[in-house]
Structure formats: structure tokens, C-alpha cells
Amino acid sequence: MSAVAAEPTVDVDRTLPFAAVRDTLAVTQRNLIHYFRIPQLLVFSTIQPVIFVLMWRFVFGGAVRGTGPIPYVDFLMPGIFVQTVVFGAMATAIGLATDMKSGLFERFLSLPMSRSAVLVGRTLADLVRNLFVVILMVLVGFAVGFRIHTNVAAFALGLLFVLLFGYAMSWIFATVGLMVKDPETAQAAAFPVLAPLVFASTAFVPLLTMPGWLQAFARNQPVSETVEAVRALSVGGPTSGPVLHAVLWCSAIVAIFAPIAVRLYRKAL
């Protein structure tokens, strides 16, 4: 009799309006606790962006020209912000592939929880991590000479676009992680996607310095569009076009890859 009475309790709990939100926050918290228990993950994910800042600022900065009246460091840092979250999105693929390989998905399946909470919780945890890393990059940027040419509100909006783009990229790499189902393979598979998007973009060099055949790709890809939006909001220039394009890219990425990731997750269960 008691067993019969306990079963409706689970069913009712699943129908609560905020049950999915509660489950998502629980999974997000679980993934964030992972960073605190293994702080090396967070430390090494911040070392690489700092190295990029120092390398491009002091090693290549003297050779890269053609940025007009804007100092190269001010041209560079919006690209570094976007590059940081793009490379950070790789953690989504590795994390999901690790959970799948360890059998954690089966554990989640046995619990009375929202199925969407696993994917959304993972991407939200990576969004929080990106927030921390981007704030660190801003501080490092100011330390090496970066300055805002617009105003604080516009710059803050630019950073929101950086985080939005990082969240969108997390869904791409969630798809990668669920497809390969192995953390080592996920890391290897992510780089061929990352490298052309980041290095064949306007993140580090002006578009006109590239060969003509490469300019068409560099001009019309999501990293360049987001960098140009962030750059316009931090150093000035036309903003409506780049911002609109960045929003469209972020929306399109989530609209395409979130359903694919959900479908792959359901197959994995």
C-alpha cells in the first residue's frame, strides 16, 4: 500500500512547473562543483587565453599593422574575448563524452528528473565558466594596455555578446561530444572545427590583409561576425549591422544544433 502511495508522488513531482528548472540548476551545480574539486581544469583553461594575449600583444603585435588609428591591442582584445569562449566550448564536448563513457547517463536515466536538464545544465555550467574566464581576460587586457573607446555600457553589451556566442558554440560541441562518445576523440575532433573558424577570421588581423579567396570565408563566418560586433561596441564604428549579424548567427547555431544534440542524447539513452 505504501509503495502504491509513493508512486504518484514521483509523477506529481515531475509535473511541477519548475521541476525542469530545478533539475537543470542541480545539474549545473554538479558540473560547477566538478571545477572546484578539480581546480586544475579551471586553471589550465585560463592559462591558454593569457598566453594568447601575451603572445599576440608582445610577439606578433609589432609586426601586425593596418588597423588604422586604433592601437593594435585595442583591435586585438575583442578577438581574444571571442577566441577564448570558442576554445572553451571544447569543454562541453569533452564533459559530455566523459559522462557518457563513465555510465553517468544511465544513472540520470534511473532518476525522476527532466531529460533536458543534462544538456542544458552542461551548457549553463560552461557559460558560468566562460563568464569567469572572460572577466579574467578583461583584466589581463587592461593590464597590457587595452582601453575602451566607446563607453562602459556598450562594452558590457559586447561582453554579453561574447558570452552568448560561447553558449551557442557549446551546443555545437555538445553535438560533437555526443557523436564521438569518447573524451579523447572529442578533443581531437573539436580542433578541426575550431582552427578554421578562429584563425581564418578577423580576430587577430584585419580582413584586407588576407588573400582575396580567403576574405570571402573570413567575412561571412560566425567568429568574424561576432568579433566585429564586439569590436564595434568596444572601440567604435557602425554597430547595427555587426550586432544584427552576430545575433542571427547565435540564434541560427542554437536553433540548428540544440535539436541535433537532444536527438543524439535521446539515442544515447
Side-chain angles (χ1 to χ4, degrees):
M1 191 72 180
S2 58
V4 175
E7 190 174 20
T9 304
V10 174
D11 293 339
V12 172
D13 186 57
R14 284 183 175 181
T15 64
L16 290 176
F18 300 106
V21 175
R22 180 204 59 201
D23 294 341
T24 298
L25 293 178
V27 174
T28 302
Q29 183 181 22
R30 174 256 174 191
N31 292 325
L32 291 175
I33 290 174
H34 190 61
Y35 285 112
F36 288 105
R37 290 181 176 174
I38 311 178
Q40 297 92 331
L41 293 174
L42 192 58
V43 170
F44 285 110
S45 68
T46 58
I47 289 177
Q48 179 180 301
V50 173
I51 292 175
F52 266 101
V53 172
L54 298 178
M55 182 175 63
W56 282 99
R57 173 70 175 95
F58 297 111
V59 179
F60 302 123
V64 179
R65 301 297 181 190
T67 58
I70 301 172
Y72 179 67
V73 65
D74 297 338
F75 176 90
L76 170 68
M77 288 311 300
I80 290 290
F81 297 151
V82 176
Q83 174 257 324
T84 297
V85 298
V86 172
F87 274 92
M90 190 188 303
T92 305
I94 297 172
L96 284 174
T98 301
D99 290 345
M100 183 181 295
K101 189 175 183 179
S102 67
L104 188 64
F105 281 6
E106 286 76 6
R107 176 69 182 274
F108 285 146
L109 182 62
S110 67
L111 297 175
M113 61 179 291
S114 170
R115 298 293 173 254
S116 63
V118 177
L119 293 180
V120 179
R122 166 59 64 178
T123 55
L124 286 179
D126 291 333
L127 176 63
V128 174
R129 181 188 54 81
N130 278 338
L131 175 61
F132 170 79
V133 177
V134 167
I135 292 174
L136 177 62
M137 289 302 98
V138 171
L139 297 177
V140 173
F142 284 137
V144 299
F146 172 65
R147 296 296 179 265
I148 302 170
H149 294 245
T150 53
N151 55 67
V152 175
F155 180 62
L157 180 60
L159 295 182
L160 286 177
F161 274 110
V162 172
L163 295 173
L164 176 63
F165 185 64
Y167 183 74
M169 292 297 295
S170 292
W171 284 103
I172 293 180
F173 290 101
T175 303
V176 172
L178 291 169
M179 286 179 64
V180 300
K181 305 177 183 179
D182 178 81
E184 290 81 6
T185 308
Q187 186 171 8
F191 189 77
V193 179
L194 293 173
L197 289 176
V198 173
F199 296 110
S201 73
T202 59
F204 308 118
V205 297
L207 182 68
L208 295 178
T209 63
M210 302 179 189
W213 59 268
L214 185 57
Q215 289 184 22
F217 171 76
R219 182 186 297 110
N220 301 292
Q221 56 114 321
V223 171
S224 290
E225 297 283 13
T226 306
V227 168
E228 292 304 317
V230 178
R231 192 170 282 146
L233 290 166
S234 60
V235 302
T239 57
S240 58
V243 166
L244 177 60
H245 292 163
V247 171
L248 291 175
W249 269 111
C250 292
S251 302
I253 290 171
V254 174
I256 293 172
F257 285 95
I260 296 175
V262 170
R263 190 176 302 113
L264 290 173
Y265 173 65
R266 288 176 176 172
K267 287 183 178 179
L269 297 179

